[in-house]
């Protein structure tokens, strides 16, 4: 299938030109084959483009209709249009030079009148996507099912109080898993958009959570049966569209996975703006997941300090990117996950090039973050300073305590022997300045 160049004709392949370039359609720091910390830059990130924001979203908001002209919506036949959309997507992906994309089932193909028709629509598009993947080398980082747009899911999908709706959700996840496996998807995501409640008064929370556990085990079993080898991922978010979402944050999801015996198959997909909605920092949820060996993938975006909702801005904050890359470098990286730009251009960004600027900015921010993080970890006193704070647990009774070998009575005896500890500064300002010292 020849790659077309009709949807973004003004843009050529984006190339690395270095920090000195003034070409806004070039990378300043993302030099995909440059070796950093032992591997090419592109393998540190495994960047992905989110199909829904980039190719489906007309940028409407609750106050106004879409502003974005999507030239691939040129037919009156919806199936023809999703085929054009796929062409446009692969033109964009190859010009940008990202290795991956991510989709919801409904981004690829619309729902039909019956489950059978819906499955057929998806199959047709999956076959076409497979050809595009083969022609371009672009791969699927993860697939997912959209279990939140259709009105039937207004009270939830897996946690809906009506069993009939749960069955529809299951049929949808089955088809989305089939599609993901057919396309060689490396992960499969569950984002529980409406798995939560609007009012606790009409909700049996424990019953709904148990249903979610049963649903996820059934999905896991089906996925493994059809040969899916990748990670299942849960993407935490505390609220929106529901008032309370069950997958509130990384810590809550880890507890849920343990309760429902899902830790062998599931990891977490951490999204920056979801972590901040939960009143954490992005790095908090990434660190928590990474330290428990459960960091599966990242949805890279950014909220807004002035308001509380999920703005899905493209990431441009270098300080944040440095922190995230420090965590990834210290915890063995993000593979087999990646960094998916679950982000959208603004409603008033209406030129076709804006989508390129947005992604180039995000990729360069993380590339620069990686270079700085690598320097901090290798050349500065950062690790010594941090680990030094815990030195009293490295040997002797501190080590025994950490291994669970000392009783409360024995600890009391040590307290008497040890006397009062010296005051030790946590040096927070020094740590903060250290990051800035390397941002140069
Ligand atoms: C919504 C969100 C989703 C998931 C996939 O806030 O992040 O797009 O990433 O369903
Ligand atoms: Co997301």
């Amino acid at each position: 299938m020849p790659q077309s160049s009709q949807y973004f004709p003004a843009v050529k392949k984006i190339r690395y030109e270095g920090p000195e370039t003034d070409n806004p359609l070039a990378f300043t720091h993302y030099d995909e084959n440059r070796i950093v910390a032992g591997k090419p830059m592109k393998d540190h990130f495994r960047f992905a483009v989110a199909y829904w924001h980039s190719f489906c979203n007309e940028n409407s908001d609750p106050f106004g209709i879409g502003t974005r002209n999507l030239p691939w919506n040129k037919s009156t036949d919806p199936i023809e249009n999703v085929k054009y959309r796929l062409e446009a997507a692969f033109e964009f992906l190859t010009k940008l030079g990202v290795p991956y994309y991510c989709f919801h089932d409904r981004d690829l193909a619309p729902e039909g009148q019956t489950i059978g028709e819906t499955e057929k629509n998806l199959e047709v598009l999956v076959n076409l996507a497979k050809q595009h993947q083969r022609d371009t080398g672009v791969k699927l980082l993860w697939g997912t099912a959209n279990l939140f747009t259709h009105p039937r899911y207004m009270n939830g999908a897996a946690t809906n109080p009506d069993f009939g709706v749960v069955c529809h959700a299951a049929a949808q996840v089955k088809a989305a898993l089939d599609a993901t496996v057919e396309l060689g998807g490396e992960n499969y995501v569950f984002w529980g958009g409406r798995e939560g409640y609007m009012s606790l008064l009409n909700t049996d929370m424990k019953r709904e959570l148990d249903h979610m556990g049963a649903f996820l085990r059934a999905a896991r079993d089906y996925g493994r049966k059809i040969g899916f080898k990748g990670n299942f991922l849960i993407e935490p978010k505390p609220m929106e569209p529901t008032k309370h979402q069950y997958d509130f944050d990384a810590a809550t999801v880890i507890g849920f996975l343990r309760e429902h015996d899902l830790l062998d198959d599931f990891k977490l997909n951490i999204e920056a703006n979801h972590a901040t909605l939960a009143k954490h920092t992005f790095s908090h949820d990434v660190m928590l997941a990474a330290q428990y060996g459960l960091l599966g993938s990242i949805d890279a975006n950014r909220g807004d300090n002035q308001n509380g909702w999920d703005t899905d801005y493209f990431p441009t904050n270098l300080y944040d990117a440095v922190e995230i890359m420090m965590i990834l470098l210290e915890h063995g990286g993000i593979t087999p996950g990646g960094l998916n730009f679950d982000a959208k251009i603004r409603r008033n960004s209406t030129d076709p090039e804006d989508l390129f600027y947005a992604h180039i900015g995000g990729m360069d921010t993380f590339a620069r973050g990686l270079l700085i993080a690598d320097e901090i970890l290798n050349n500065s006193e950062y690790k010594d300073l941090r680990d030094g704070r815990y030195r009293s647990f490295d040997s002797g009774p501190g080590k025994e305590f950490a291994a669970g070998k000392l009783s409360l009575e024995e600890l009391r005896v040590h307290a008497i022997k040890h006397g009062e500890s010296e005051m030790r500064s946590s040096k927070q300002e020094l740590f903060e300045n250290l990051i800035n010292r390397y941002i140069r």
Side-chain angles (χ1 to χ4, degrees):
M1 197 183 291
Q3 282 307 299
S4 66
S5 183
Q6 48 177 323
Y7 298 105
F8 304 96
V11 182
K12 298 196 180 59
K13 173 103 176 77
I14 309 298
R15 307 209 177 272
Y16 171 73
E17 292 185 9
E20 305 307 325
T21 188
D22 54 9
N23 176 5
L25 287 170
F27 295 117
T28 56
H29 291 83
Y30 182 65
D31 184 5
E32 59 178 5
N33 293 319
R34 173 169 171 188
I35 303 292
V36 183
K39 61 184 183 193
M41 253 193 186
K42 61 177 179 220
D43 296 346
H44 282 277
F45 307 112
R46 299 158 53 84
F47 284 127
V49 169
Y51 208 90
W52 51 103
H53 287 310
S54 291
F55 311 113
C56 310
N57 187 349
E58 292 179 341
N59 291 351
S60 60
D61 71 13
F63 299 90
I65 59 169
T67 54
R68 195 169 158 223
N69 171 36
L70 302 180
W72 41 94
N73 286 345
K74 56 191 172 187
S75 167
T76 49
D77 175 355
I79 295 289
E80 284 306 301
N81 278 344
V82 290
K83 292 179 185 170
Y84 296 136
R85 179 193 287 172
L86 193 68
E87 282 174 16
F90 276 83
E91 181 184 334
F92 179 81
L93 295 164
T94 45
K95 284 185 170 172
L96 184 63
V98 276
Y100 289 100
Y101 70 115
C102 301
F103 63 67
H104 300 87
D105 48 359
R106 298 293 178 263
D107 307 333
L108 274 196
E111 189 150 354
Q113 296 298 319
T114 61
I115 289 179
E117 201 182 298
T118 303
E119 288 171 349
K120 185 86 209 120
N121 287 351
L122 188 58
E123 265 166 44
V124 170
L125 267 294
V126 163
N127 286 334
L128 286 174
K130 204 168 175 180
Q131 288 179 50
H132 279 289
Q133 287 185 201
R134 208 178 294 134
D135 292 344
T136 59
V138 175
K139 293 182 282 186
L140 179 64
L141 184 66
W142 50 259
T144 187
N146 176 331
L147 301 175
F148 44 90
T149 297
H150 193 286
R152 79 165 72 86
Y153 297 125
M154 69 179 185
N155 291 312
T159 62
N160 197 295
D162 178 345
F163 176 60
V165 176
V166 176
C167 296
H168 272 272
Q172 212 181 310
V173 168
K174 178 188 172 296
L177 276 164
D178 288 338
T180 302
V181 169
E182 184 64 24
L183 291 172
E186 297 181 27
N187 304 270
Y188 184 86
V189 164
F190 290 91
W191 170 62
R194 295 189 195 274
E195 314 294 21
Y197 60 80
M198 299 305 283
S199 167
L200 198 49
L201 289 173
N202 64 9
T203 304
D204 186 333
M205 189 156 51
K206 171 75 165 55
R207 211 165 170 183
E208 294 197 0
L209 281 164
D210 285 346
H211 293 169
M212 192 155 85
F215 188 96
L216 293 175
R217 282 193 298 277
R220 184 261 328 263
D221 292 346
Y222 178 73
R224 294 301 182 225
K225 190 169 91 183
I226 61 168
F228 176 63
K229 303 247 170 355
N231 289 325
F232 293 91
L233 305 176
I234 295 200
E235 182 176 322
K237 186 177 183 182
M239 64 192 86
E240 198 206 15
T242 53
K243 163 196 153 66
H244 174 90
Q245 192 174 309
Y246 292 136
D247 300 327
F248 198 89
D249 60 2
T252 310
V253 171
I254 291 172
F256 171 86
L257 292 175
R258 181 159 293 135
E259 164 81 8
H260 290 276
D261 200 18
L262 290 163
L263 281 170
D264 287 344
D265 299 275
F266 281 75
K267 287 189 159 54
L268 275 65
N269 182 35
I270 302 297
E271 176 160 328
N273 205 169
H274 296 180
T276 53
L277 265 182
K279 301 249 185 291
H280 301 307
T281 55
F282 181 18
S283 51
H284 171 96
D285 261 19
V286 171
M287 177 73 92
L288 195 91
Q291 290 197 320
Y292 281 84
L294 291 170
L295 179 62
S297 202
I298 285 178
D299 271 8
N301 60 15
R302 174 172 57 98
D304 187 299
N305 292 338
Q306 271 70 53
N307 58 32
W309 66 88
D310 193 13
T311 57
D312 286 344
Y313 291 158
F314 275 82
T316 53
N317 186 318
L318 185 55
Y319 200 103
D320 276 0
V322 172
E323 285 192 51
I324 298 303
M325 295 319 297
M326 284 169 69
I327 299 170
L328 295 193
L329 285 173
E330 283 207 281
H331 291 86
I334 193 71
T335 311
L339 264 68
N340 167 47
F341 291 110
D342 192 354
K344 57 185 178 234
I345 49 174
R346 293 306 94 189
R347 174 175 166 72
N348 39 358
S349 297
T350 49
D351 291 339
E353 297 80 65
D354 291 328
L355 193 61
F356 281 92
Y357 298 143
H359 284 88
I360 290 169
M363 292 163 80
D364 273 337
T365 301
F366 275 97
R368 222 174 140 189
L370 168 67
L371 295 169
I372 295 164
D374 185 46
E375 236 196 298
I376 292 173
L377 292 175
N378 285 319
N379 302 340
S380 81
E381 64 277 32
Y382 170 77
K383 280 199 277 190
D384 281 346
L385 280 172
R386 182 196 58 197
D387 298 348
R389 297 189 68 218
Y390 299 89
R391 204 117 293 151
S392 56
F393 294 94
D394 286 351
S395 59
K399 194 171 178 182
E400 282 174 50
F401 160 77
K405 289 185 185 149
L406 293 186
S407 69
L408 211 58
E409 296 96 314
E410 287 166 323
L411 290 168
R412 177 181 174 273
V413 173
H414 279 295
I416 294 166
K417 206 156 72 187
H418 180 78
E420 204 60 53
S421 273
E422 264 172 55
M423 293 259 256
R424 284 213 184 86
S425 169
S426 76
K427 297 195 166 18
Q428 179 172 333
E429 296 76 11
L430 181 72
F431 277 90
E432 289 168 348
N433 293 353
L434 205 144
I435 307 274
N436 272 338
R437 187 170 3 126
Y438 284 84
I439 296 182
R440 55 188 169 206

